[in-house]
Amino acid sequence: MSFPLLTATAALPAIGAVATAAVPAARRNAAKALALLISLATLALAVVVLVRFDPGGDRYQLTESHSWIKEFGVRYELGVDGIAVALIALTALLIPFIILAGWHDADPLETGSKRWRPTQGFFALILAVEAMVIISFEATDVFLFYIFFEAMLIPMYFLIGGFGDRAHEHGEETASTQRSYAAVKFLLYNLVGGLIMLAAVIGLYVVAGNFSLQEIAQARAGGSLHMATNTERWLFLGFFFAFAVKAPLWPLHTWLPNAMGEATAPVAVLITAVVDKVGTFAMLRFCLQLFPEASKWATPVILVLAVISIIYGALLAVGQRDIKRLVAYASISHFGFIVLGIFAMTSQGQSGATLYMVNHGISTAALMLVAGFLISRRGSRLIADYGGVQKVAPVLAGTFLIGGLATLSLPGLAPFVSEFLVLVGTFARYPAIGIVATLGIVLAALYTLVLYQRTMTGPVKPEVSAMPDLRARELVVVAPLIVLLIFLGVYPKPVTDIVNPAVKQTLSDVHKKDPKPEVEAAK
């Protein structure tokens, strides 16, 4: 293609971020409208990428390659496979809903004395994150990927620390301290992971002589590039550590509940439904493709960590008093399923993991955004402060229920298909691990249904008796997500058709085949 479609898809929100930031402070509604318009235009470009991508064609398509830092072999190389295309579409789809849901989250505040927050800065930062996430999915040069993998931490830091949740049980001063703590913790955890990855990136260049993912992978497959066993293992660990922090995988997960709890609901969705997907995506694209033998070597330990994440996250979700922290711990459990599917090293497991990334993004967005609408009405994140909401706001309660049922992977809703594939793929090779992982399903039903029962059913508490139902803008945010959850739950084929060829190629990278059934099919 002569038109640089991938560059345009990432550049448009980046340009939009600058333009939105330049809008005068007095014209904050114009800044919001511009950000929404840019996000919709980016979604249109992502749809073009989706349409132009041929699942049966070359592994990396719509490629772009230009010399960048010639002395160090760094190139501006972009290309997408089916997994990247699905995640770019997810990102571009969620950002307009995030912007709409956060329409008033950065409006000026009155807390004793007037405080001013740059509304245009809030929406500009969201667009900046979108641009960096999209180019991370597109980059096939390791150094280029690393730059944006780290750069996205900066706007996220300001979104968490500067535009945090206003609902806090201990007042604004304590809330400000908690937001700052959560933002710094997020930044430090991810910076440490990134610095370790940087050392591995430099080590990869020393061994391979360039940063091109495709060239290094082809050289390894062809036998012209050989890595010593210990070298490959150390490089793999450097990459995997950074991705496990971003994912987040136990025990590197502790920044997530703080970040999601203190961020606004739309920013919490941006964290777990968009940014964190870069970590699990990178495990598939970089860890397995660049370091196949080390990936197989580390698989037993990673599977154990994934199962701990599943059970640990679910158990802590059961005991939460805070709605948003409950969703955060549930996400840790879900990311455990994604990592489990990736390292099960089966086509069903990896297909399920990729589908899980998409479905988790949609289901978490639906649940967290409705939770945000609920919290904004009551001014509290505590579960105990609610009760009987379904009697005064039935549409809000109904959408909250569907989002919750999707979170527990109810059959007929999108996450069920992906979770089923992950477990089937895991059982095929590691039955004991698969059995333990199924406990996460039981716990998910417990924390989801208890959350709904305590907030939506029972006597109507006086504080929620006048709570309004979902407004038109909020329905525009939630309704399409609910429709997608049902559609992909009944008919996931559009996504699986795109990702399955890329999954098969990834399995080929690590020289793995699906295990044969122990019982032959009847002829």
Side-chain angles (χ1 to χ4, degrees):
M1 290 181 61
S2 57
F3 180 72
L5 183 57
L6 297 186
T7 294
T9 307
L12 181 59
I15 295 170
V18 175
T20 302
V23 174
R27 303 287 304 278
R28 65 172 182 271
N29 286 331
K32 297 175 185 179
L34 177 60
L36 180 61
L37 181 64
I38 292 294
S39 68
L40 291 172
T42 304
L43 175 58
L45 283 177
V47 170
V48 175
V49 171
L50 189 63
V51 171
R52 294 298 300 268
F53 181 79
D54 177 14
D58 295 337
R59 180 171 192 172
Y60 292 106
Q61 299 177 34
L62 308 176
T63 54
E64 302 172 29
S65 182
H66 307 282
S67 180
W68 182 19
I69 308 175
K70 190 174 181 180
E71 293 78 7
F72 296 100
V74 179
R75 299 184 62 82
Y76 177 79
E77 282 191 351
L78 306 179
V80 289
D81 60 4
I83 299 170
V85 166
L87 293 175
I88 289 170
L90 171 70
T91 301
L93 174 71
L94 291 180
I95 295 299
F97 297 129
I98 288 171
I99 290 173
L100 270 176
W103 202 252
H104 298 297
D105 285 356
D107 287 349
L109 296 174
E110 290 278 354
T111 54
S113 60
K114 189 172 182 179
R115 292 181 56 215
W116 176 78
R117 302 198 298 181
T119 301
Q120 70 274 33
F122 177 76
F123 295 98
L125 289 170
I126 291 175
L127 291 175
V129 172
E130 179 182 21
M132 294 174 186
V133 169
I134 288 175
I135 203 166
S136 296
F137 291 141
E138 297 173 343
T140 57
D141 182 278
V142 177
F143 191 79
L144 178 67
F145 169 83
Y146 173 78
I147 288 175
F148 289 99
F149 179 81
E150 286 294 276
M152 70 181 71
L153 301 180
I154 299 170
M156 286 306 308
Y157 169 80
F158 288 108
L159 283 170
I160 297 168
F163 298 92
D165 195 352
R166 303 177 187 181
H168 200 287
E169 58 189 296
H170 299 301
E172 176 58 29
E173 185 175 347
T174 302
S176 178
T177 302
Q178 293 292 333
R179 287 196 295 267
S180 298
Y181 172 79
V184 171
K185 189 173 184 179
F186 162 82
L187 187 65
L188 289 179
Y189 266 67
N190 284 274
L191 274 179
V192 169
L195 290 173
I196 292 173
M197 181 183 169
L198 177 60
V201 168
I202 295 170
L204 181 65
Y205 176 76
V206 171
V207 173
N210 66 78
F211 293 105
S212 172
L213 170 68
Q214 296 183 71
E215 289 183 16
I216 296 172
Q218 289 170 1
R220 296 219 63 191
S224 58
L225 174 61
H226 175 73
M227 289 187 193
T229 299
N230 286 337
T231 300
E232 180 178 347
R233 290 177 179 179
W234 281 111
L235 293 178
F236 167 86
L237 290 174
F239 277 74
F240 180 80
F241 184 88
F243 303 152
V245 172
K246 185 83 79 181
L249 184 69
W250 184 92
L252 306 172
H253 66 284
T254 59
W255 62 268
L256 183 67
N258 295 101
M260 287 184 65
E262 299 305 325
T264 63
V267 172
V269 172
L270 188 65
I271 295 168
T272 190
V274 177
V275 172
D276 287 354
K277 298 299 188 299
V278 178
T280 46
F281 163 79
M283 292 178 189
L284 280 165
R285 171 166 281 192
F286 295 102
C287 286
L288 300 190
Q289 195 169 344
L290 292 174
F291 315 110
E293 297 305 318
S295 297
K296 290 186 285 188
W297 163 76
T299 288
V301 174
I302 294 172
L303 291 178
V304 171
L305 295 179
V307 170
I308 293 174
S309 287
I310 292 169
I311 306 302
Y312 172 87
L315 282 173
L316 265 66
V318 170
Q320 289 304 306
R321 299 166 53 245
D322 183 312
I323 297 173
K324 290 167 68 178
R325 289 179 70 89
L326 185 151
V327 179
Y329 280 109
S331 289
I332 291 169
S333 181
H334 295 148
F335 274 103
F337 276 109
I338 294 171
V339 176
L340 183 68
I342 292 171
F343 285 90
M345 302 291 184
T346 60
S347 59
Q348 299 98 328
Q350 292 189 354
S351 178
T354 305
L355 189 59
Y356 213 137
M357 292 186 221
V358 175
N359 292 339
H360 172 264
I362 299 170
S363 63
T364 298
L367 180 61
M368 180 59 86
L369 292 179
V370 176
F373 299 148
L374 178 70
I375 292 167
S376 67
R377 285 158 166 74
R378 174 68 176 83
S380 173
R381 306 189 322 232
L382 297 180
I383 296 171
D385 287 342
Y386 297 87
V389 174
Q390 67 180 11
K391 296 178 182 177
V392 296
V395 177
L396 188 154
T399 53
F400 190 81
L401 177 61
I402 296 174
L405 293 177
T407 297
L408 65 81
S409 299
L410 183 77
L413 296 176
F416 168 77
V417 183
S418 42
E419 197 164 283
F420 177 78
L421 285 172
V422 166
L423 290 173
V424 167
T426 305
F427 272 117
R429 200 180 293 278
Y430 304 100
I433 293 288
I435 291 170
V436 177
T438 55
L439 294 175
I441 301 174
V442 179
L443 294 171
L446 179 61
Y447 62 69
T448 300
L449 296 177
V450 168
L451 171 65
Y452 183 83
Q453 182 260 330
R454 291 179 177 174
T455 55
M456 302 295 165
T457 66
V460 179
K461 290 201 171 185
E463 295 84 359
V464 304
S465 59
M467 180 177 288
D469 213 334
L470 290 183
R471 303 179 179 92
R473 172 180 59 86
E474 296 165 337
L475 282 171
V476 169
V477 171
V478 176
L481 298 174
I482 299 298
V483 170
L484 274 174
L485 286 174
I486 296 171
F487 175 77
L488 293 177
V490 176
Y491 190 65
K493 190 173 184 291
V495 181
T496 55
D497 282 351
I498 292 172
V499 304
N500 281 346
V503 164
K504 291 179 181 178
Q505 290 166 327
T506 302
L507 273 181
S508 177
D509 291 334
V510 291
H511 312 294
K512 283 282 191 179
K513 295 181 179 179
D514 288 330
K516 293 182 179 180
E518 294 183 5
V519 179
E520 294 290 336
K523 295 182 179 179

